[in-house]
Amino acid sequence: MKKEQVVNCQFSVWYPLFKKHTIKSLVLPIPQNVIDYLLDDGTLVVSGSENNNSQTQTNNSDSDEEDIQWTDDETTTAVTAPEFPEFKIRVQEAINVLGGCVFPKLNWSAPRDANWIALNSSLQCQSLCDIFLLFKSSDFITHDLTQPFLHCSDDSPDPTINYELVLRKWSELIPGAEFRCFVKENKVIAISQRDYTQHYQHIAKQEDSISSAILEFFRDHIQYQFPDEDFVLDVYRDSSGRVWLIDFNSFGEVTDSLLFTWEELTSGKNLTANQMQEDTALQDGPAFRYTTSEVTVQPSPCLSYRIPRDFLDLTTGEDAYKLIDFLKLGELIFSKYSFLTEPFL
């Protein structure tokens, strides 16, 4: 994978070429101070909030229940999020143009690993505050900002990147209708179910029609139109059978190979529709893989980015027994270290 291939997969590079075949979107340049804010681990307050732009941290409590004076400093420190008024106005105007709800991403990645932190567990955003919350919680976004050319094989200097906020009109996409196509030398060599963690019965029933529709869309609108001959293409097939372009990705390890391996995709060996199939001579067209039954369902790869389930159960009260155990543990710790609250002799 070359650095030029990564550059060509930026949204603002391919969107003008395929605008009529994809979801309506707007692209806004990101000021350097916003990038600095997104990369600042020390800024815990999310900027852009309409109602609460600051939080108060009190170093000394006046509560009668607290017996220990940990500090002589009785001042109150206000932690204020940085403000970006001009950028905020431009973002809100763009959101309004796109119908009030958007799907945000950077040049390459969307914060799919951070949807757990949103109140609606969704990537749907209605304000800059919503976007900042997702971006500052996402390793995918951090990768875009710090290591966009990771896994590139050439030693040439890194190209200069002008970072952009991509706002896509919010659309309710059915996960079972999304597919990833692997293109080598301008030929689709493999197609994978995008959400391979679930079993969708309609895919097996419509395998031929899905594959035919995707290949027809590729030949008519994508083939020889994209700047590179090796790339990864994400598409969506709606209920009427029409195929839509969703995204382009680099043909390399930085992109999730889903139900294939990159060894299979780069070498062409064992590139069959079924992982257990050995004879490729009888296969006509690209290898098409999908989750064939409930038995082969896998956990979502984004689960590793979420908070522990026990923490979630405690905060929501979904598991009363865990809450009881937690309270008992608190009592045990308090009784064991209660001497700390006694006056020193």
Side-chain angles (χ1 to χ4, degrees), residues 148-182:
F149 302 106
L150 186 67
H151 300 305
C152 288
S153 57
D154 48 336
D155 296 328
S156 59
D158 290 350
T160 300
I161 299 299
N162 296 316
Y163 284 99
E164 299 163 328
L165 172 62
V166 178
L167 301 176
R168 314 206 70 182
K169 182 180 177 64
W170 180 259
S171 302
E172 293 289 349
L173 302 183
I174 302 173
E178 294 183 82
F179 302 92
R180 172 159 289 181
C181 309
F182 300 89

Side-chain angles (χ1 to χ4, degrees), residues 200-244:
Y200 299 98
Q201 295 182 358
H202 74 276
I203 297 181
K205 297 177 181 178
Q206 304 174 19
E207 177 180 352
D208 292 339
S209 60
I210 292 174
S211 181
S212 298
I214 291 176
L215 291 177
E216 181 180 358
F217 174 79
F218 175 77
R219 287 192 299 266
D220 293 345
H221 306 296
I222 307 297
Q223 193 173 31
Y224 305 117
Q225 303 299 316
F226 190 72
D228 295 313
E229 61 177 13
D230 298 342
F231 54 91
V232 178
L233 177 72
D234 288 338
V235 298
Y236 180 82
R237 183 174 181 265
D238 63 23
S239 57
S240 66
R242 180 178 177 180
V243 177
W244 296 84

Side-chain angles (χ1 to χ4, degrees), residues 76-313:
T76 299
T77 303
V79 180
T80 305
E83 292 295 326
F84 313 102
E86 295 182 2
F87 183 64
K88 179 180 179 180
I89 292 174
R90 292 199 300 270
V91 170
Q92 196 59 53
E93 289 176 346
I95 292 175
N96 294 338
V97 169
L98 294 172
C101 296
V102 297
F103 175 91
K105 61 179 296 182
L106 280 188
N107 301 40
W108 297 278
S109 303
R112 295 182 182 275
D113 57 326
N115 65 337
W116 59 270
I117 201 170
L119 294 178
N120 56 358
S121 296
S122 168
L123 297 183
Q124 183 185 96
C125 295
Q126 300 181 28
S127 67
L128 181 60
C129 179
D130 296 340
I131 296 171
F132 277 162
L133 179 62
L134 291 171
F135 277 18
K136 284 187 69 66
S137 306
S138 172
D139 288 346
F140 294 175
I141 295 299
T142 301
H143 173 273
D144 272 16
L145 294 172
T146 59
Q147 296 179 306
F149 302 106
L150 186 67
H151 300 305
C152 288
S153 57
D154 48 336
D155 296 328
S156 59
D158 290 350
T160 300
I161 299 299
N162 296 316
Y163 284 99
E164 299 163 328
L165 172 62
V166 178
L167 301 176
R168 314 206 70 182
K169 182 180 177 64
W170 180 259
S171 302
E172 293 289 349
L173 302 183
I174 302 173
E178 294 183 82
F179 302 92
R180 172 159 289 181
C181 309
F182 300 89
V183 180
K184 189 174 183 181
E185 297 178 355
N186 268 312
K187 179 181 178 182
V188 178
I189 61 172
I191 301 174
S192 174
Q193 172 184 334
R194 186 72 174 86
D195 179 21
Y196 65 89
T197 65
Q198 301 296 323
H199 169 57
Y200 299 98
Q201 295 182 358
H202 74 276
I203 297 181
K205 297 177 181 178
Q206 304 174 19
E207 177 180 352
D208 292 339
S209 60
I210 292 174
S211 181
S212 298
I214 291 176
L215 291 177
E216 181 180 358
F217 174 79
F218 175 77
R219 287 192 299 266
D220 293 345
H221 306 296
I222 307 297
Q223 193 173 31
Y224 305 117
Q225 303 299 316
F226 190 72
D228 295 313
E229 61 177 13
D230 298 342
F231 54 91
V232 178
L233 177 72
D234 288 338
V235 298
Y236 180 82
R237 183 174 181 265
D238 63 23
S239 57
S240 66
R242 180 178 177 180
V243 177
W244 296 84
L245 168 63
I246 299 299
D247 204 0
F248 284 96
N249 297 282
S250 304
F251 191 89
E253 293 182 6
V254 70
T255 301
D256 192 342
S257 59
L258 303 180
L259 292 174
F260 295 91
T261 67
W262 275 112
E263 182 179 358
E264 290 175 321
L265 294 168
T266 54
S267 67
K269 297 179 180 179
N270 300 320
L271 196 58
T272 60
N274 189 315
Q275 291 93 322
M276 301 302 294
Q277 184 178 336
E278 296 182 357
D279 186 7
T280 60
L282 299 178
Q283 180 175 301
D284 183 22
F288 187 4
R289 291 183 184 175
Y290 49 89
T291 303
T292 55
S293 69
E294 296 289 351
V295 177
T296 55
V297 166
Q298 305 177 43
S300 170
C302 288
L303 287 177
S304 60
Y305 298 96
R306 301 185 180 185
I307 60 175
R309 178 68 190 184
D310 288 347
F311 287 4
L312 183 61
D313 290 341

